[in-house]
Amino acid sequence: MFRKNYNDMMDKLIITCAISGAEVTKEMNPAVPYTIEEMVEAAFGAYQAGASIIHLHARFDDGTPTQDKERFQLIHQAIQKKCPDVIIQVSTGGAVGMSRDERLDVLNIHPEMATLDCGTLNFGGDDIFVNTENDIQYFAEMMNTQHVRYEMECFEKGHIDTTLRFIKKGVIKNHLHYSFVLGVRGGMSGEERDFLFLKDSIPEEATFSVAGIGKYEFSLAELSIRHGGHVRVGLEDNLYIDKGHLAKSNRELVEKVVSLANKHGRLIATPKDTRRILEMENK
Ligand code: KMH
Ligand code: ZN
């Protein structure tokens, strides 16, 4: 049970900012970053506002998503130069339709942290985001071998059940950190009962973060803050600061989470705190 006294370092709120994604475009919101300079500016703004983890997808200058290790390396290095202690969590999800090996190319830059997507789901229209059981095992084993810390992205309850099987088999053996990504068309929605169901379905020792897609971003952020979880926001997940008002930047979305954390008495985790909470200190 989460304590009501939020003074402990372990109770600090980890904010992840998903600055760019692979599917959102400048036509939807001009603040979506594509170029390396735009990525750095977005990451720096989010970091200054309180994000300790940057969830990163790479894009070419025209916005095309890529998992190409050279492009990723350039963006990764540029962000690290500007925010040396921030945790960069690279996406191994990439974009819908990418092959397994294409998605894994990013591991060649030896990231500190990456996502592990824990199941297949419809992704709107004809799109299917494919993560078979064999894919998940392959991704986890690659990351285990390379000592990359993974965050388990679960889009519905079946994905959590899959992780539980892999934990039992010893395939998943990280510190257990979940991300509930809720509100994708094809995945689980992001109502309070959905959140509570998932939160109560993970192992007791696990930590979790919530990424609410679209209209769920801030309602889920607040629920997670209240229940001792962590929060992901960013233009990848949601383009609006308020109903009908586009967010001006990733920073603005992070600032809104910080104000929710203040309201509920949660302090914000620095990158150092975050490494401690997620047991990444020896990295
Ligand atoms: N772009 C989505 C298809 C991840 O980053 O690992 C997958 C995604 C998940 O965004
Ligand atoms: Zn992503």
Side-chain angles (χ1 to χ4, degrees), residues 36-268:
I36 296 173
E37 294 69 28
E38 288 168 347
M39 293 272 186
V40 172
E41 193 189 336
F44 187 57
Y47 166 73
Q48 279 194 315
S52 53
I53 303 179
I54 300 298
H55 170 76
L56 189 65
H57 288 254
R59 306 275 191 114
F60 288 114
D61 286 353
D62 67 356
T64 308
T66 176
Q67 293 293 101
D68 173 66
K69 66 173 185 297
E70 265 115 48
R71 181 69 178 182
F72 244 116
Q73 180 84 290
L74 290 173
I75 302 168
H76 195 275
Q77 272 171 353
I79 293 175
Q80 265 186 334
K81 195 164 169 213
K82 188 82 178 167
C83 338
D85 61 339
V86 83
I87 299 164
I88 302 178
Q89 176 196 84
V90 300
S91 169
T92 65
V96 165
M98 287 179 175
S99 71
R100 179 154 99 175
D101 290 334
E102 192 178 359
R103 283 165 56 183
L104 282 171
D105 196 24
V106 65
L107 293 189
N108 290 312
I109 71 166
H110 308 296
E112 178 175 17
M113 193 175 192
T115 53
L116 175 64
D117 292 286
C118 294
T120 295
L121 74 159
N122 282 339
F123 225 74
D126 286 327
D127 288 343
I128 304 174
F129 182 35
V130 177
N131 297 284
T132 65
E133 278 218 346
N134 288 348
D135 290 338
I136 300 162
Q137 176 153 350
Y138 186 67
F139 278 56
E141 283 170 348
M142 289 284 279
M143 292 191 238
N144 290 336
T145 309
Q146 299 187 26
H147 306 288
V148 178
R149 173 52 48 92
Y150 37 91
E151 174 178 278
M152 297 175 279
E153 292 211 359
C154 294
F155 297 74
E156 47 106 327
K157 168 68 162 54
H159 297 181
I160 292 181
D161 296 336
T162 301
T163 68
L164 300 181
R165 285 196 298 278
F166 278 129
I167 292 165
K168 218 170 174 179
K169 270 175 79 176
V171 171
I172 288 177
K173 49 190 182 186
N174 244 353
H175 161 86
L176 302 176
H177 184 56
Y178 286 87
S179 175
F180 307 147
V181 186
L182 301 180
V184 172
R185 273 190 298 154
M188 199 160 164
S189 67
E191 303 300 331
E192 183 166 1
R193 65 182 178 183
D194 302 315
F195 164 81
L196 294 174
F197 182 40
L198 297 191
K199 175 183 85 63
D200 291 340
S201 302
I202 60 175
E204 213 167 300
E205 70 275 21
T207 50
F208 68 91
S209 180
V210 173
I213 304 302
K215 68 176 181 177
Y216 293 114
E217 183 155 83
F218 294 109
S219 54
L220 280 172
E222 190 159 10
L223 267 175
S224 193
I225 289 168
R226 281 177 38 217
H227 286 271
H230 304 284
V231 172
R232 177 175 115 177
V233 289
L235 293 172
E236 170 171 351
D237 299 336
N238 165 48
L239 301 163
Y240 295 88
I241 191 72
D242 272 315
K243 194 162 188 231
H245 298 109
L246 288 176
K248 289 195 208 72
S249 60
N250 280 284
R251 173 199 285 266
E252 197 182 18
L253 296 169
V254 174
E255 283 170 348
K256 189 161 169 176
V257 177
V258 172
S259 66
L260 289 172
N262 290 339
K263 178 177 151 192
H264 292 284
R266 292 277 302 270
L267 300 175
I268 307 302

